[in-house]
Amino acid sequence: MLKGNKVGLRARHEDDIPVLRAELYDDVVNASRAEGGPWRPITPGSKDPRLVADDKEQGHVVRFSVVELDGGTLVGTATLWGIDNHNRSAHIGLGLLPSSRGRGYGTDVVGVLCHYGFVVRGLHRLQIETLSDNTAMLRSAERNGFVREGVLRSSAWVLGEFMDEVLLGLLAQDWKPDSKG
């Protein structure tokens, strides 16, 4: 397990999937804001690619479950995706269960993902794209040293309207680790 100050990132367990599905992906508003495509229902018991860790896909996507260090309670999901081994870059993303938001977990998750990307994987650049009104993610990213590199104007179609996305980047040499890793 990768450890931060408040949370740990561990392998996805089968019993995590129903919780993540119910609390994150079955919520149309949350899923529509988090995903790059339209929300769609998933048949119970089916293999949802957003939730199931596929060992064959590990070269390009790594999915973690996020748990509290004190007690091991599942609080969300974290992803390193679009891993480009040639350019040594990747994107990061996370989703916290509604009951776990506002506790500083997001900042900790971003820090642990940076540790994983830069130290464990040897990447040079990490990138985040998030909706311009996602103040929690913007704050979590900036607290970990990410720099706003631009705005992708009207780039995301979300529940009937186009929204801007903010592009943030962090280079390995600019990262100042704060978590236990």
Side-chain angles (χ1 to χ4, degrees):
M1 179 185 321
L2 297 166
K3 294 181 181 179
N5 296 311
K6 298 179 179 186
V7 298
L9 275 55
R10 64 158 169 76
R12 178 76 32 88
H13 295 173
E14 277 299 316
D15 56 349
D16 296 343
I17 293 173
V19 175
L20 295 172
R21 178 177 285 159
E23 300 225 14
L24 292 178
Y25 299 111
D26 284 349
D27 176 345
V28 177
V29 173
N30 182 70
S32 295
R33 291 179 53 80
E35 299 292 319
W39 178 86
R40 63 183 179 83
I42 302 295
T43 305
S46 67
K47 298 283 187 194
D48 184 342
R50 299 169 301 178
L51 296 171
V52 178
D54 181 353
D55 290 335
K56 290 179 239 136
E57 200 179 55
Q58 290 287 326
H60 301 286
V61 178
V62 180
R63 290 182 177 82
F64 297 100
S65 287
V66 180
V67 295
E68 291 176 326
L69 287 178
D70 184 21
T73 303
L74 179 68
V75 297
T77 181
T79 309
L80 190 74
W81 61 277
I83 300 168
D84 179 337
N85 290 317
H86 176 73
N87 293 305
R88 295 178 45 207
S89 64
H91 302 256
I92 67 172
L94 65 103
L96 295 175
L97 304 180
S99 61
S100 301
R101 296 175 187 158
R103 298 183 184 181
Y105 293 159
T107 299
D108 204 26
V109 171
V110 172
V112 177
L113 284 170
C114 288
H115 172 83
Y116 179 71
F118 294 137
V119 176
V120 177
R121 297 292 295 246
L123 299 176
H124 174 70
R125 174 186 167 80
L126 292 175
Q127 184 170 309
I128 296 172
E129 300 87 9
T130 190
L131 296 175
S132 61
D133 67 350
N134 188 349
T135 55
M137 185 60 170
L138 291 168
R139 191 171 42 249
S140 294
E142 290 171 341
R143 285 180 177 160
N144 279 284
F146 279 81
V147 175
R148 292 184 192 214
E149 296 180 335
V151 174
L152 306 171
R153 297 178 310 138
S154 292
S155 63
W157 178 254
V158 180
L159 298 173
E161 68 176 310
F162 283 105
M163 296 185 70
D164 293 348
E165 290 180 286
V166 177
L167 174 67
L168 301 108
L170 179 61
L171 302 179
Q173 69 262 21
D174 298 332
W175 178 58
K176 295 177 180 44
D178 184 39
S179 69
K180 295 181 242 175

